[in-house]
Amino acid sequence: MPLLQVSDLQVEFKTNDATVRAVNGVNFTLEAGETLGIVGESGSGKSQSVLAMLGLLASNGRASGQALYRGENLLGLSGKALNRIRGNRLSMIFQDPMSSLNPYLSIERQMTEVLELHKNMTRRAAKKRAIGMLEAVRIPEAAHRIGQYPHELSGGMRQRVMIAMALLCEPEVLFADEPTTALDVTVQAQVLQLLRDLQRDFGTSIVLITHDLGVVAGLCEKVMVMYGGRVMEQCDASSLFAKPSHPYTIGLLRALPRLDKSGGELTGIPGNPPNMAHPPAGCPFHERCAHAAEDCVQHVPALRPVDGVHWLRACHRPAEDMITRYQEASHV
Ligand code: SF4
């Protein structure tokens, strides 16, 4: 059985205006040591899918379906039962370390608290382990830095502290929500390398949420592309980059700078993501898709296998046509 098995995950929010269906029928599995990238623009449902599994939705949110972790449905657990797992076996790195770290507490207190709570460690033993973890994420002078407060650290160091905190209890699954977005490119590359090294050393499974397919290329084995609360394409990362079959995936790839090709303009996807309070009928991408036709406006495309069971896509146009067009345009 996979470490994590998510089936028909749905998330909705009740607002004064409407019921917002943020996530519609997400399915995936995650094996031990595997990395899954969930990709999409803001509002695609990627973060809400993960927050739902961890019981961290806003108070007007409701999740249904199944998220089995070692056979136990996370969506059915009480807050107390989830607290035993969260921060311990399942951990999360948030996008903005400045708003996730407590500005009133030293790094030491924030780190030792986790170990005292989940591992019953003494303060002294917890501090030793916390310093070791800060060293593992390459914080220089860790024994000194641990006594500092978040505002005394640079953005890159705060992100490393967040990663160290998330790894303190050696989680089996690490959820990382845009862990490099707030960082400049050099620090971004260092943090991604750090995640790769930690995965190798600790065997952690990672679910990486990102809008950047470049980050997926460097870290993930599997990828799920989301748009308008639905999965558009889902497969192993190498297939996605070699043979993207969904117009939205192709749009994301065309907007990505390439180091292996010179010249050519980057092409953005025209328009904006849909308003999820009033989503368009049919395919959620039809208002921005160059291949949209009447059937796209009328019917939501089902997520169907392209090639075996591990490559799925939701589009009315044939996969082969889209792949051929992409490869011809890209001179692959
Ligand atoms: Fe485009 Fe239609 Fe495919 Fe949606 S179903 S991605 S609108 S071609």
Side-chain angles (χ1 to χ4, degrees), residues 233 243-247 250 304-307 311-327:
E233 188 160 17
K243 298 192 289 181
S245 76
H246 194 283
I250 291 170
R304 292 207 176 87
V306 176
D307 183 8
W311 185 357
L312 305 166
R313 66 177 313 246
C315 178
H316 294 309
R317 305 284 87 80
E320 277 310 320
D321 282 7
M322 293 296 133
I323 296 168
T324 307
R325 281 166 188 255
Y326 173 77
Q327 291 182 333

Side-chain angles (χ1 to χ4, degrees), residues 146-165:
I146 198 169
Q148 294 187 311
Y149 287 78
H151 73 272
E152 297 178 87
L153 306 178
S154 67
M157 261 199 230
R158 284 195 290 267
Q159 191 59 282
R160 282 165 197 264
V161 168
M162 286 283 293
I163 295 172
M165 280 177 71

Side-chain angles (χ1 to χ4, degrees), residues 246-247 283 285-286 289 291-292 296 301 315-317:
H246 194 283
C283 172
F285 189 54
H286 81 251
C289 180
H291 307 284
C296 308
C315 178
H316 294 309
R317 305 284 87 80

Side-chain angles (χ1 to χ4, degrees), residues 11-15 48 51-52 55-63:
V11 179
E12 61 178 41
F13 294 91
K14 293 244 184 289
T15 69
Q48 298 306 334
L51 292 174
L56 296 174
L57 288 177
S59 56
N60 62 339
R62 201 180 72 85

Side-chain angles (χ1 to χ4, degrees), residues 32 70 75 79 94 108 122 138 146 223 241 257 263:
R70 293 203 167 276
L75 303 185
F94 293 95
E108 176 180 340
T122 62
R138 299 183 209 121
I146 198 169
V223 58
F241 288 104

Side-chain angles (χ1 to χ4, degrees), residues 117-163:
L117 181 72
H118 288 300
K119 299 288 179 197
N120 282 329
M121 281 188 174
T122 62
R123 177 75 68 90
R124 195 187 165 111
K127 181 175 178 181
K128 192 169 170 219
R129 175 149 174 72
I131 292 172
M133 193 51 81
L134 289 178
E135 284 168 348
V137 298
R138 299 183 209 121
I139 297 264
E141 300 172 19
H144 163 67
R145 292 283 185 187
I146 198 169
Q148 294 187 311
Y149 287 78
H151 73 272
E152 297 178 87
L153 306 178
S154 67
M157 261 199 230
R158 284 195 290 267
Q159 191 59 282
R160 282 165 197 264
V161 168
M162 286 283 293
I163 295 172

Side-chain angles (χ1 to χ4, degrees), residues 38 45 100 230 255 274 282 295-296 309 329:
I38 308 182
S100 308
R230 294 180 183 277
D295 52 347
C296 308
V309 289

